[in-house]
Structure formats: structure tokens, C-alpha cells
Amino acid sequence: MKTEYRTLDPARLAAVLERERARYVQSNSRSSALAQQASAHLMFGVPLHWMSDWSMPFPLHVDQAKGAHVTDVDGHTYMDFCLGDTGAMFGHSPEPVARALAAQATRGLTVMLPSEDGVWVARELARRFGLPVWQFALSASDANRFAIRWARALTGHRQILIFNGCYHGTVDDVFVDLVDGKANTRNSLLGQVVDITQTTRSVEFNDLAALESALADGQVACLLAEPVMTNIGMVLPDPGFWDAAQALCRRYGTLLLIDETHTISSGPGGYTQAHGLQPDLLVLGKPVAGGLPCAVYGFSADTAARAEAAKRQAPPGHSGIGTTLTANLLAMAAMRANLAEVMTDAAYAHMFGLAEQLALGLGQVIERHNLPWCVTRIGARTEFQFTPTPPRNGTQADAILDAALEKNIHLYLLNRGLLITPFHNMMLVCPSTTPADVDRLVSAFASFVEEVVRP
């Protein structure tokens, strides 16, 4: 029997959006003044054009951020469930990280030489993730770039494979979309002069037949993938998908490169350890140093040996891997403090409990109003999606996105002191988040639904 879902009233949605925009403008005079000043010297009026992608009529300017809270220049304090889109997944300015940064700041920032912290961090990463050898970068974008370069160098293959709808930072190779089953360079990409589809293949997530077809000629250096897709909305793997995918990679000589930058929400060792994956290469960025720019990438023992051999056999000169500030003293000190004292088993247990509370609360609101929506969760990460059945691949996830509805919900929540990510409907909890904070978010979400659902 077909379920008869309730729908949202377009007139009510328009009225709520107009009211909330007016409320924001009236409440944020200082941010408005700064936005006007910024327009003279900042492209799009912000230091990074993504900062203009939020739902506000003009950018919210931050005065400070601490723990689970953000305070703006107009004196409003927000419960932060965006947390820098994972960059501050363990809270803003964790005390151990702040102390480590203050101490290291007087002892050197960067010298392009190793420190004791690097030895400790690499050993800890090996313990957590099961890969014995590590290198560093300033961002996950860089780490993915470098890992792809290593994969190509040690396999001798030019091709890489990604899943449709993926995101792995600003890596040129990954901006490929499937259009009618054919790979195309993403049409939003600026300044691209090389045909990426000549060296990048793309298939749908959870499609094992397509994955095998893409790997079968043995020319793919690596499969670069998040174990759970997150950037286009969360897409979970089918039961048994990763066991089969790993076996296919091994069969056809393709290295498995896992990007845990968002799925680190799965646990202290990421989705990799939580679900027994065995990647050849692994990347983690954003929150690993407590919010300070830093990323890491690890190698299995065999992959590391092959990579070292490839480097030794190459002619002398720049490898195209690494930047001057990579593994600087400040970042290494921050990472050690974060791994040792912040990113702990106890922190994850607290976060998992709150994320479960959030997912349950949102699900109850959706069920109570009989909406064709669902809730997806992976560890400390929760998302509500505009579909009754969770998507299985990037095409399905893209089809259910509703930017106008998202912006309406996000602005409504922001005006009530609640921040969620500006990209789809992702929410994170951190060690400083409380059960009362979660209840407040669920209550505001329920209020929005009650205002806009058809009678």
C-alpha cells in the first residue's frame, strides 16, 4: 500500500523565509556594516568565496568560538552543530590544543626539520588506523593530491577511479560527474584546461558491477573514496560492499585510497578501524590537529616500501610532493595534543550518545508529521534528507537536494541560535555539546516543520 505523505505549503515557506530574512537583517547590524566594508577589498565580500554560501542575507561575522559555541560581532551566541564543517569536530579551541599552541609559539613555528612530536604522532596514527608509515600535509586536499601522485608513481598507471558525486577537496582529478552514464568534467569547475576524463574514471557508489568493469583492464592506479559518501549528502555503503570492493581492488592491482576526513566521525580510528577496512593509503585532514590546518596520510607496509623504491629510482629533483610549511612545528604540537587529550575514546562515546539522541529526535518529528524524509547517521554525524528512503549513490543523493528548502531551514535555525552546515543538512556534535543542546535543536526543527507543513 502506497504511503500518503504530507507536503510543505509553498506559501507558508515563502512567508517564513521573508520573515526570517527581515529578522536577521534587523538583528545583525554590526555584521551588516562589516559586510559592506568587506565588499571593497574582499572578493564576494568574504576571505573565501564559500563563506558567502550560507543562508544569511549577508555574512555573519564571528567574534569568537569556544567549545560548542560561536559568538558573533553583534553579541549573539550560537550552539554550533556545523563545527567548521568538521574542522572543529572536537569543539572550538580545545584547551589541550590551545595550551600546546601557546607553548610551541615561543619555541619555533617552522624550521623544515623534524621534532619529537612528529615521532609520537606517527606512532599514534599507526596504532589508531593500522597503517604503519605516515606523511603529513597542510590540508586533506594536499594529502589526497600527494597520495594520488604516490599511487601513480609506484603502480606506473595514469588512471584513477572515483565515485560519482564525491568530494576530496580541491584535487583536480576528482571533478568528474557522470552524465547519462558518461564521465564529464564538472561544469562548475573554473579555469580547467586539461580534460580530466582522460585520466579519471567514475562509477556510482554501491555498484559493484560498474566498479569491476572500471578496474578490469588493470590500468587504475587507485580507487579514491570516502567509505561513506558525505559531501552530496550522506550515502551509506550497502552491506558487504566494502568487502567486495576491496577484493576487486586487490584482484586488479588497484590501490585503495580511503579519505577519512569526514568519516572520522565514525570513531577514533575512523570508519577504517570501526569496520575493518584494509586500505593501502589513508588520508585524514580537517580535525586531526584540533582545527589548525594539518592533514596526514598513511601507507600500508607494502605500499610504503614500493613508494620508497619509486622515489629512490626517480631522478634527483622536486617530486611534486610536499610544501615548505608541511609538518611545521606548530601543527605537530597541536596534533599531538589533540590526539592525546581531545580525540579520545571517552569523547567519542559522549558524541555517539548525543548523535543518537539527535537522530532519534529528528526522526520522531518527521514521523509525527508524516513527511517523506529520513535521517542518516554515521557516528557523531547526523543528517536529515528529503527522501523517505536513504540514497544509495551520488545520482540519487543529488536528485533529492533542495537548496531553497535547505536555506529556509538553516536561516530559521540560525535566527534561533543554532548553526548547522550550509551544505545540505549535516549536523555534528562535539565533546562540549550537551543533551539540552540537542533537545533545543530538535525543538526548533519541529517548530519549523509545524509552521510550513500543509494543514
Side-chain angles (χ1 to χ4, degrees):
M1 183 175 178
K2 186 177 179 180
T3 302
E4 293 295 331
Y5 291 108
R6 295 176 74 185
T7 57
L8 305 185
D9 187 323
R12 292 186 176 190
L13 283 166
V16 166
L17 181 59
E18 182 179 2
R19 182 193 71 204
E20 296 302 318
R21 287 177 66 87
R23 175 174 172 174
Y24 179 86
V25 171
Q26 184 178 21
S27 301
N28 293 282
S29 59
R30 180 62 179 150
S31 275
S32 177
L34 287 172
Q36 292 177 27
Q37 295 173 36
S39 64
H41 300 291
L42 291 172
M43 189 178 294
F44 303 103
V46 285
L48 172 65
H49 68 85
W50 290 359
M51 294 178 180
S52 63
D53 289 345
W54 291 74
S55 58
M56 313 98 165
F58 47 81
L60 187 76
H61 285 72
V62 173
D63 177 58
Q64 60 177 317
K66 181 65 180 174
H69 295 89
V70 170
T71 302
D72 68 22
V73 293
D74 286 284
H76 309 120
T77 297
Y78 304 86
M79 277 307 311
D80 190 2
F81 291 91
C82 173
L83 296 169
D85 193 24
T86 310
M89 194 179 88
F90 302 104
H92 297 287
S93 295
E95 288 293 345
V97 175
R99 288 197 304 270
L101 289 174
Q104 187 61 50
T106 62
R107 303 174 61 238
L109 304 179
T110 185
V111 293
M112 211 171 70
L113 286 168
S115 67
E116 182 181 341
D117 288 338
V119 178
W120 187 97
V121 167
R123 186 169 58 241
E124 174 63 9
L125 291 171
R127 183 191 71 80
R128 285 181 182 241
F129 293 98
L131 285 81
V133 179
W134 292 82
Q135 289 282 270
F136 299 87
L138 286 175
S139 69
S141 293
D142 275 349
N144 278 318
R145 262 188 218 99
F146 302 157
I148 289 171
R149 190 172 287 272
W150 280 118
R152 284 174 166 153
L154 63 91
T155 63
H157 300 320
R158 300 173 68 233
Q159 299 287 320
I160 71 162
L161 178 63
I162 58 170
F163 289 119
N164 185 42
C166 73
Y167 180 76
H168 299 286
T170 56
V171 179
D172 288 357
D173 306 75
V174 305
F175 289 102
V176 171
D177 292 324
L178 281 181
V179 180
D180 297 325
K182 184 178 179 181
N184 285 263
T185 300
R186 189 165 298 175
N187 59 19
S188 62
L189 189 57
L190 295 173
Q192 184 63 37
V193 297
V194 176
D195 183 0
I196 309 169
T197 63
Q198 296 301 302
T199 55
T200 299
R201 303 174 182 183
S202 180
V203 297
E204 295 286 8
F205 195 65
N206 281 320
D207 189 338
L208 288 170
L211 178 62
E212 181 165 17
S213 179
L215 297 176
D217 65 1
Q219 296 304 305
V220 177
C222 68
L223 167 61
L224 168 58
E226 292 183 291
V228 173
M229 294 186 73
T230 64
N231 192 70
I232 201 164
M234 278 201 282
V235 181
L236 302 178
D238 289 343
F241 172 74
W242 275 116
D243 287 339
Q246 290 180 119
L248 288 172
C249 287
R250 287 192 292 269
R251 182 184 307 168
Y252 295 111
T254 295
L255 299 177
L256 178 59
L257 167 51
I258 290 292
D259 184 348
E260 289 269 16
T261 298
H262 284 165
T263 54
I264 191 62
S265 63
S266 305
Y271 192 97
T272 293
Q273 282 298 296
H275 296 271
L277 271 62
Q278 295 181 313
D280 302 289
L281 294 152
L282 182 146
V283 163
L284 171 61
K286 286 189 179 177
V288 69
L292 195 76
C294 188
V296 301
Y297 57 109
F299 300 72
S300 69
D302 177 68
T303 307
R306 293 167 65 189
E308 290 183 6
K311 171 60 178 167
R312 291 193 187 96
Q313 293 163 11
H318 201 300
S319 64
I321 296 171
T323 57
T324 304
L325 294 176
T326 294
N328 65 78
L329 297 178
L330 199 64
M332 303 306 279
M335 196 167 9
R336 180 172 183 172
N338 191 58
L339 289 167
E341 302 181 61
V342 180
M343 198 172 159
T344 63
D345 291 348
Y348 273 99
H350 174 81
M351 292 155 67
F352 286 176
L354 292 179
E356 184 177 6
Q357 177 189 339
L358 176 57
L360 179 63
L362 295 172
Q364 289 173 340
V365 173
I366 291 168
E367 183 178 4
R368 184 163 67 246
H369 293 281
N370 196 27
L371 291 171
W373 299 356
C374 68
V375 178
T376 308
R377 174 181 161 237
I378 179 74
R381 181 182 302 272
T382 306
E383 183 174 10
F384 58 91
Q385 296 174 293
F386 304 134
T387 175
T389 305
R392 292 186 60 248
N393 59 45
T395 296
Q396 292 178 8
D398 183 62
I400 64 173
L401 296 179
D402 186 334
L405 178 55
E406 290 171 9
K407 287 182 179 295
N408 204 333
I409 296 172
H410 299 175
L411 182 58
Y412 186 96
L413 294 175
L414 182 138
N415 279 337
R416 285 149 187 81
L418 299 155
L419 287 175
I420 70 172
T421 184
F423 312 115
H424 44 91
N425 301 307
M426 189 275 294
M427 294 153 286
L428 285 164
V429 292
C430 74
S432 300
T433 311
T434 69
D437 299 330
V438 172
D439 286 342
R440 183 177 159 197
L441 176 56
V442 172
S443 177
F445 175 76
S447 295
F448 175 84
V449 170
E450 288 160 5
E451 283 208 54
V452 301
V453 74
R454 288 185 187 273

